[in-house]
Amino acid sequence: MQVIDKSKPVMVTGATGYVAGWLVKKLLDEGLTVHAMVRDPDNRQKLAHLDAIAASAPGTIKYFAADLLTPGAYDAGMQGCELVFHTASPFTSKISDPQRDLVDPALKGTRNVLESVQRTPSVKRVVLTSSCAAIIGDAIDCEAYPNGMGTEAQWNTTSTVEHQAYSYSKTVAEQEAWKMVAGQQRWDLVVINPSLVLGPGLSADATSESFNLFRQLGNGKMKSGVPDFSIGMVDVRDLAIAHFNAGFIPEAHGRNIVSAANSDFLSLGRILRQHFGDAYPFPQKHLPKFMVWLVAPLVGFKRKMIQQNVGYKWQVDNSKGRRELGISYRPIEQTVVEFFQQMIDKGLVRPRR
């Protein structure tokens, strides 16, 4: 159990990221000093959204240069901090080398940040952004779990560098963190395991695989139908609050699933159609699994992934996070509609003519 002094600075890795942006906003709104770790503190355009938040918030932001794979890069920004939020990790489907593009940044980056923690006597707690992907590799895995649901007790044992590389990267990075916290008493580790993160971004050029998914829901790429993929979803703003609470609730501990709802792509399309009507070509039906399996290699998916996910129920139990982190979730309909509206406002999707 750790009591964090809010007069001390707090460090956030990957501070310009989609999730981190809302966390930084929450910290600044609460009047804290944020040591924001970014690739290039001199790139003011990239930092503009954080500067704008800081200008009207009671807190203070200070930028530090850091790279996930550079040893010691986090030492300077960590000085004087009692609390470290490690949110930085790649989430993209555009990869040519899974080991280099996903696993190394996640695993070596986590090790690098925590080695800095080991060298920094002031640090009392680390909040790590992991993923439900470290619990469930494929939806079919849920069939072997009690009540067909993933909980904090389960680990993803089915993903590899060759199969579900992103899920594998999150699994090995979190496991490394638990290894590194063991055997010492000064700092503790609280892990956040979110499902698919949705909702409006703070930055004008916010990037996440979630944005690509939502663009495709409305730009016609999925108008002929969607695979029967079952997913969990959480609003990025609720996720930021979960991180904040994980940092400052003294009793927070262990892994914490943060997921508002178990749903699927077709349900997202229906929500969007109810709100935006026929102005956009939202999907209205499931594609047959055999058809998805046949075309999978043509659209960048492996058939094994289709085989072990399409048609299977993906479910998690979010009761621990609700109970111990005091999380309450906004309706997923609100998240979906506000997220798509941001896409419209940015010109990322356009109505049919």
Side-chain angles (χ1 to χ4, degrees):
M1 189 169 84
Q2 299 284 12
V3 177
I4 303 299
D5 183 351
K6 289 187 177 181
S7 70
K8 301 288 179 64
V10 172
M11 193 179 97
V12 179
T13 70
T16 57
Y18 176 42
V19 175
W22 284 103
L23 172 59
V24 169
K25 182 180 189 306
K26 173 68 174 171
L27 293 165
L28 292 172
D29 287 344
E30 294 285 338
L32 280 90
T33 296
V34 177
H35 285 189
M37 312 305 291
V38 299
R39 286 183 184 173
D40 182 6
D42 296 323
N43 186 344
R44 304 318 298 183
Q45 181 179 353
K46 186 80 172 176
L47 306 179
H49 65 293
L50 297 179
D51 287 338
I53 295 165
S56 59
T60 304
I61 192 165
K62 298 178 181 177
Y63 297 107
F64 294 82
D67 179 83
L68 272 175
L69 300 183
T70 303
Y74 294 91
D75 287 6
M78 205 175 286
Q79 295 306 306
C81 296
E82 291 188 353
L83 177 60
V84 171
F85 292 97
H86 179 36
T87 74
S89 189
F91 178 32
T92 177
S93 62
K94 296 175 182 176
I95 54 172
S96 55
D97 182 336
Q99 183 71 41
R100 182 196 66 207
D101 299 337
L102 287 175
V103 179
D104 285 351
L107 176 57
K108 294 180 181 178
T110 295
R111 188 182 295 145
N112 192 18
V113 171
L114 295 185
E115 284 173 350
S116 288
V117 170
Q118 301 280 40
R119 291 191 292 268
T120 309
S122 60
V123 177
K124 294 181 177 180
R125 171 169 288 180
V126 175
V127 176
L128 172 71
T129 311
S130 183
S131 173
C132 282
I135 294 170
I136 301 170
D138 296 294
I140 195 173
D141 296 350
C142 291
E143 296 198 342
Y145 293 165
N147 302 314
M149 303 183 84
T151 71
E152 288 83 1
Q154 272 86 38
W155 281 95
N156 172 2
T157 60
T158 59
S159 297
T160 65
V161 175
E162 293 78 27
H163 173 67
Q164 301 287 49
Y166 170 75
S167 301
Y168 177 72
S169 77
K170 298 303 289 187
T171 304
V172 296
E174 187 189 335
Q175 288 173 335
E176 180 71 8
W178 285 116
K179 286 178 192 170
M180 293 183 71
V181 73
Q184 57 80 50
Q185 304 297 323
R186 170 170 54 83
W187 58 279
D188 68 7
L189 178 67
V190 184
V191 173
I192 301 295
N193 300 86
S195 55
L196 180 67
V197 185
L198 303 176
L202 279 172
S203 168
D205 59 349
T207 56
S208 167
E209 201 58 32
S210 305
F211 286 79
N212 297 331
L213 165 65
F214 252 64
R215 252 199 311 271
Q216 292 176 25
L217 280 171
N219 68 6
K221 284 197 174 178
M222 297 184 180
K223 65 181 179 181
S224 60
V226 288
D228 184 12
F229 271 118
S230 180
I231 54 172
M233 296 172 283
V234 62
D235 191 290
V236 65
R237 295 160 291 188
D238 295 336
L239 180 56
I241 293 170
H243 278 79
F244 182 88
N245 291 356
F248 291 102
I249 292 175
E251 297 80 12
H253 71 284
R255 310 172 89 195
N256 299 269
I257 288 173
V258 179
S259 183
N262 302 315
S263 190
D264 57 65
F265 293 154
L266 186 58
S267 297
L268 298 183
R270 286 173 179 152
I271 291 170
L272 292 169
R273 181 172 292 278
Q274 286 171 5
H275 190 85
F276 297 98
D278 294 326
Y280 300 87
F282 301 119
Q284 298 187 68
K285 63 181 180 180
H286 279 138
L287 294 172
K289 185 171 182 175
F290 79 88
M291 184 183 298
V292 180
W293 187 86
L294 282 172
V295 304
L298 302 177
V299 292
F301 290 110
K302 293 186 178 179
R303 284 176 170 158
K304 183 178 178 181
M305 192 274 282
I306 300 301
Q307 185 178 357
Q308 298 190 359
N309 287 276
V310 172
Y312 292 99
K313 207 77 174 168
W314 187 103
Q315 295 186 103
V316 291
D317 179 353
N318 67 6
S319 59
K320 179 178 185 280
R322 284 180 179 271
R323 183 175 64 250
E324 298 187 7
L325 297 183
I327 306 169
S328 60
Y329 296 105
R330 70 195 69 205
I332 206 69
E333 291 82 1
Q334 178 188 346
T335 301
V336 169
V337 168
E338 291 178 357
F339 195 21
F340 196 76
Q341 185 62 54
Q342 185 180 54
M343 300 261 168
I344 295 171
D345 295 343
K346 289 183 177 181
L348 296 175
V349 291
R350 290 180 171 81
R352 302 188 235 213
R353 298 188 177 181

